[in-house]
Amino acid sequence: MGAYILRRLLLMIPTLVGIMAINFVIIQFAPGGPVERVIAQLQGTDVSATSRISGGGGDFAGAGNDASGGSGSAADGVTSKYRGAQGLDPEFIKELEAQFGFDRPPLERFLAMLWNYARFDFGESYFRDIRIIDLIKEKLPVSISLGLWMTLISYLISIPLGIRKAVRDGSRFDIWTSGIIIVAYAIPGFLFAVLLIVLFAGGSFWDLFPLRGLTSDNWADLSWPARIADYFWHLALPLTAMVLSAFATTTLLTKNSFLDEIRKQYVVTARSKGLTEHQVLYGHVFRNAMLIVVAGFPGAFISSFFAGSLLIETIFSLDGLGLLGFESVINRDYAVVFATLYIFSLMGLLVNLISDLTYTWIDPRIDFESREV
């Protein structure tokens, strides 16, 4: 098993490099960029997501006073590369390129980025006066809260419900719960979130739950029991919206997996030996049926960190990693974009490895060591 884990860890290196390389190439051909955004700020035409220009990018507002002082000759070929740069001093544009590192060839920038990321040195945000690692740490509690509790709650609901539906397949219980699951799966999470706000967060009916943040303003002054209650009070609505579709998918996956196993010959043999239904179900079927459920865990967990929580974070004003990544793309803060991409990719690869190791814990008959990776 040690050799298998080592091979998987070594394979993560080219996988990470490939992911970063593909996205780096895409960014090179994407319209706009941090230089264009600064120019738009100076020209008063910027419509990006809220983010102040300071710190790592230099004092661009102050530099704008001198930006138009040069001749701005198109012969230099500097300002002509950027939309809206006509009339600005070419030397100022060169200073902007140097600030963002665009004065170096793309390959050199890419290799330098990989070297820094290998040492977990993510640098500073282009447009925020803060190190990226500190920025991620600041947003991480929100994403961890949403991702961890959403995955845990959905699995705690889905697995028992899916097992019961498989055991009582075709019964009235199975039919009406399937109807609820289909409706839950059909409703987008963000739409259900809006409905919850209208009903329970002061929209048009009851004002029972808070609408912003992960904790109240006076959280530090509360006792520990009150802090815990306040924390879950703020999480109640966003978690409900996120769990809705997640539990529907996992429930059907669990049911179908158990149905496939229940119909196999070894189950008939176990019953013929006089074992109780509980012994057959949890002593024989459970380990085999849960393999496919475990396989879906990495995707559910990682998606809840980013894609699954992006709209929920926006609707409920929760400042987490999903919202950070989206705003960074909109604001052309490529330093944050690539740092979050690297962290999410690394997390995904590690969680997949943990998932494979969980296979062996659930079913010791599985031996990855004897397989070629």
Side-chain angles (χ1 to χ4, degrees):
M1 183 57 68
Y4 171 76
I5 295 175
L6 180 60
R7 288 198 300 268
R8 286 290 299 270
L9 291 175
L10 292 176
L11 279 174
M12 290 181 187
I13 297 175
T15 305
L16 275 175
V17 172
I19 292 173
M20 300 302 294
I22 292 172
N23 285 273
F24 187 84
V25 171
I26 293 174
I27 288 296
Q28 304 310 304
F29 295 98
V35 175
E36 285 90 340
R37 183 171 180 237
V38 173
I39 293 172
Q41 288 271 347
L42 297 176
Q43 303 286 9
T45 59
D46 179 46
V47 292
S48 300
T50 56
S51 179
R52 67 183 185 279
I53 297 181
S54 60
D59 190 0
F60 297 118
N65 295 330
D66 303 324
S68 59
S71 60
S73 174
D76 293 326
V78 178
T79 59
S80 59
K81 292 193 301 182
Y82 303 106
R83 184 176 59 182
Q86 290 76 13
L88 296 180
D89 187 356
E91 290 300 321
F92 172 71
I93 301 299
K94 289 181 178 180
E95 290 179 6
L96 284 181
E97 291 180 331
Q99 289 275 3
F100 295 120
F102 294 154
D103 55 335
R104 296 179 292 170
L107 180 59
E108 181 181 341
R109 286 188 281 121
F110 178 69
L111 294 177
M113 179 183 69
L114 289 182
W115 171 245
N116 291 331
Y117 285 8
R119 296 176 292 133
F120 290 94
D121 178 12
F122 301 110
E124 290 192 357
S125 168
Y126 286 163
F127 303 115
R128 304 173 191 237
D129 189 15
I130 186 174
R131 293 170 61 240
I132 295 176
I133 191 66
D134 294 331
L135 186 62
I136 291 174
K137 289 179 180 178
E138 178 185 320
K139 313 297 183 183
L140 200 56
V142 172
S143 295
I144 289 179
S145 295
L146 292 176
L148 182 63
W149 288 113
M150 188 277 286
T151 306
L152 181 61
I153 292 173
S154 65
Y155 270 70
L156 287 176
I157 295 174
S158 303
I159 293 175
L161 181 59
I163 294 174
R164 186 169 179 81
K165 284 175 62 63
V167 172
R168 303 184 60 179
D169 183 42
S171 66
R172 297 179 66 179
F173 171 81
D174 181 45
I175 293 174
W176 70 261
T177 53
S178 294
I180 294 176
I181 290 172
I182 292 173
V183 172
Y185 185 76
I187 300 176
F190 72 90
L191 187 61
F192 189 66
V194 174
L195 176 63
L196 290 176
I197 291 175
V198 172
L199 291 176
F200 303 111
S204 299
F205 295 89
W206 301 281
D207 188 6
L208 303 177
F209 295 94
L211 189 56
R212 294 179 178 273
L214 200 60
T215 56
S216 299
D217 294 335
N218 64 336
W219 188 80
D221 301 326
L222 301 176
S223 62
W224 277 110
R227 289 184 182 184
I228 296 174
D230 181 76
Y231 170 74
F232 284 105
W233 183 45
H234 282 76
L235 280 177
L237 294 188
L239 278 180
T240 303
M242 293 180 68
V243 166
L244 185 69
S245 59
F247 103 88
T249 305
T250 313
T251 299
L252 294 179
L253 181 64
T254 303
K255 176 192 173 182
N256 293 331
S257 179
F258 269 80
L259 281 177
D260 289 340
E261 293 297 324
I262 288 173
R263 293 166 181 167
K264 290 183 178 180
Q265 185 61 40
Y266 75 89
V267 176
V268 178
T269 303
R271 286 171 176 166
S272 66
K273 290 181 179 180
L275 297 180
T276 65
E277 197 65 23
H278 185 274
Q279 290 174 323
V280 171
L281 193 62
Y282 293 99
H284 293 76
V285 176
F286 184 81
R287 289 191 304 177
N288 297 326
M290 284 302 295
L291 287 175
I292 191 171
V293 179
V294 171
F297 177 81
F301 186 72
I302 296 300
S303 65
S304 67
F305 261 77
F306 186 69
S309 62
L310 171 57
L311 292 174
I312 300 299
E313 288 180 10
T314 304
I315 292 172
F316 289 99
S317 301
L318 297 172
D319 199 5
L321 290 178
L323 188 59
L324 172 66
F326 173 74
E327 289 183 347
S328 300
V329 172
I330 298 300
N331 292 332
R332 302 299 192 268
D333 196 344
Y334 293 154
V336 178
V337 171
F338 283 115
T340 53
L341 173 65
Y342 179 83
I343 291 174
F344 281 126
S345 300
L346 182 60
M347 286 175 55
L349 293 172
L350 290 174
V351 171
N352 272 296
L353 175 58
I354 294 173
S355 175
D356 287 346
L357 297 178
T358 308
Y359 279 142
T360 63
W361 175 68
I362 295 176
D363 191 349
R365 295 173 300 174
I366 297 177
D367 184 14
F368 291 108
E369 188 72 30
S370 60
R371 294 188 176 187
E372 292 293 332
V373 179

